[in-house]
Amino acid sequence: MLTEAELQKKWESLTFTDNFIFSRVMHDEHICRQVVELILGVRIGKIRYLSAQDEHKTDPDSMRIIMDVFLRDENRIINVEVQTGHKKELPKRSRYYQSVADVSTTSTGTKYRDLPENILIFICTFDPFDRDFPRYTFEYTCKEAQHQLKLKDGSLRIFLNTKATKLSTLDQKLQAFYHYLQKGIAESGLTQEIFNKITTLKNNSIERRHYMTLALKMADIEYDAYENGFERGHEAGLQAGLQQGIEQGIEQGLEQGAYQTKLETAKNLLSMNFTPTQVAQGTNLPLDVVQNLL
């Protein structure tokens, strides 16, 4: 069991690439827009969040996923994920994330020509392809045309390698973003905003309590997974149990965090004299929950 002092130490050491902090910071629309535009190198339109950190499925029996930051503008759906563990299945994970993003945002009767661009960004704290490139950009191209012919299906996957040592191919603002992720040094207006936002979060007792609750749940799940694996006496079973436990803990914690964010948003909207019905529709909370907030 983690002690209060250990939890406090973990809380104080959190950085932008921690899932909990990343989601909170990227729900600041001003910061989120700057980060996305910096990575894409283009301006994006007015954005709206698409149930970020909620469960997404293509059907009831399909594998569920939880997206860190899921948003769209007039022409694009954009999913931004932070990845701290080096996983070999990352390419196929990216394929599945993009397919779920398409299915979950496409209504019946939509014409194929009206499908928006589908952009997936992984911010990795490791080199996902071991080439020391600061970023890896993937589009579908024709092999027979020596990759000079693009499919132009509107899909794009970008993997940032924030551990890269050669950043000369990046513009200065993006280099400053990498320096912040690598060393915690705020050299630009954006990274200073991120630093200030994280400082504010860490001084918020409610956010600290949310994180500590999540950390304790994850620790319990990991311990239970370890015990189950140990009792089976199989290393493979142990690893599978640990992996399943960790993923379950992350999902439960993120779901709880997303729900708490919705509650805080609902309170703010109510204080601005929006009706309970309007707030319920805007936050996807049940009407009775919003009414109870009054």
Side-chain angles (χ1 to χ4, degrees):
M1 177 67 69
L2 293 171
T3 66
E4 183 75 18
E6 290 172 330
L7 287 170
Q8 182 64 32
K9 186 176 181 181
K10 285 173 66 70
W11 171 249
E12 292 173 354
S13 66
L14 295 181
T15 65
F16 181 63
T17 53
D18 176 87
N19 283 100
F20 185 92
I21 294 294
F22 181 76
S23 175
R24 294 298 196 269
V25 172
M26 290 291 280
H27 270 75
D28 182 313
E29 184 176 336
H30 179 63
I31 292 177
C32 182
R33 173 185 297 279
Q34 290 184 81
V35 171
V36 172
E37 289 184 343
L38 180 64
I39 294 172
L40 295 182
V42 297
R43 300 279 292 177
I44 61 175
K46 181 178 177 57
I47 65 174
R48 62 185 178 92
Y49 292 94
L50 300 172
S51 59
Q53 288 198 342
D54 282 350
E55 179 182 305
H56 292 268
K57 287 185 172 185
T58 55
D59 64 69
D61 296 323
S62 65
M63 181 172 61
R64 66 180 184 175
I65 62 173
I66 294 178
M67 298 180 179
D68 288 342
V69 179
F70 190 32
L71 54 91
R72 75 169 299 161
D73 68 358
E74 292 87 348
N75 305 307
R76 311 170 182 87
I77 51 176
I78 304 170
N79 178 17
V80 188
E81 301 286 323
V82 62
Q83 189 70 45
T84 57
H86 198 326
K87 296 183 178 180
K88 293 181 179 180
E89 76 272 12
L90 194 57
K92 288 190 176 180
R93 176 189 289 249
S94 68
R95 164 184 152 187
Y96 188 74
Y97 272 50
Q98 278 198 307
S99 65
V100 172
D102 267 334
V103 173
S104 64
T105 58
T106 304
S107 57
T108 302
T110 300
K111 303 294 185 183
Y112 288 120
R113 64 174 177 269
D114 296 328
L115 287 175
E117 292 182 53
N118 186 334
I119 299 173
L120 174 60
I121 300 169
F122 270 103
I123 300 177
C124 302
T125 59
F126 55 90
D127 187 343
F129 301 103
D130 299 320
R131 299 292 183 92
D132 199 30
F133 294 156
R135 65 182 291 158
Y136 301 87
T137 304
F138 293 90
E139 293 179 297
Y140 292 112
T141 60
C142 179
K143 183 177 180 180
E144 287 76 11
Q146 297 169 340
H147 303 288
Q148 299 302 308
L149 174 63
K150 294 183 179 180
L151 186 59
K152 295 183 179 180
D153 65 339
S155 64
L156 178 69
R157 303 182 209 179
I158 298 173
F159 300 81
L160 299 190
N161 165 26
T162 64
K163 290 298 183 184
T165 58
K166 302 173 183 177
L167 305 179
S168 59
T169 57
L170 307 178
D171 64 40
Q172 289 186 342
K173 290 184 178 180
L174 196 51
Q175 286 187 40
F177 182 64
Y178 273 65
H179 290 159
Y180 178 72
L181 297 181
Q182 293 173 348
K183 304 176 183 178
I185 302 173
E187 302 172 335
S188 64
L190 171 59
T191 55
Q192 187 62 53
E193 286 187 56
I194 294 173
F195 175 82
N196 293 341
K197 183 71 174 182
I198 294 175
T199 300
T200 301
L201 284 170
K202 288 187 176 181
N203 289 330
N204 187 313
S205 60
I206 296 176
E207 294 288 358
R208 182 175 68 249
R209 186 163 62 250
H210 288 168
Y211 173 78
M212 290 184 175
T213 300
L214 166 62
L216 286 173
K217 284 186 176 180
M218 287 186 62
D220 287 342
I221 291 172
E222 288 179 21
Y223 179 78
D224 289 342
Y226 179 86
E227 287 290 293
N228 291 336
F230 183 78
E231 289 174 1
R232 287 195 298 268
H234 298 292
E235 183 66 22
L238 172 59
Q239 294 300 324
L242 278 172
Q243 182 62 31
Q244 181 180 4
I246 291 171
E247 291 179 357
Q248 181 183 350
I250 291 173
E251 289 175 358
Q252 289 178 352
L254 291 179
E255 288 167 1
Q256 179 187 19
Y259 182 72
Q260 292 296 332
T261 299
K262 289 181 180 181
L263 291 179
E264 294 301 322
T265 301
K267 291 177 184 177
N268 291 334
L269 292 174
L270 289 171
S271 70
M272 297 166 63
N273 296 321
F274 283 89
T275 67
T277 300
Q278 290 173 323
V279 174
Q281 292 174 344
T283 60
N284 290 324
L285 286 170
L287 181 59
D288 60 330
V289 171
V290 175
Q291 290 172 332
N292 287 336
L293 293 175
L294 291 171

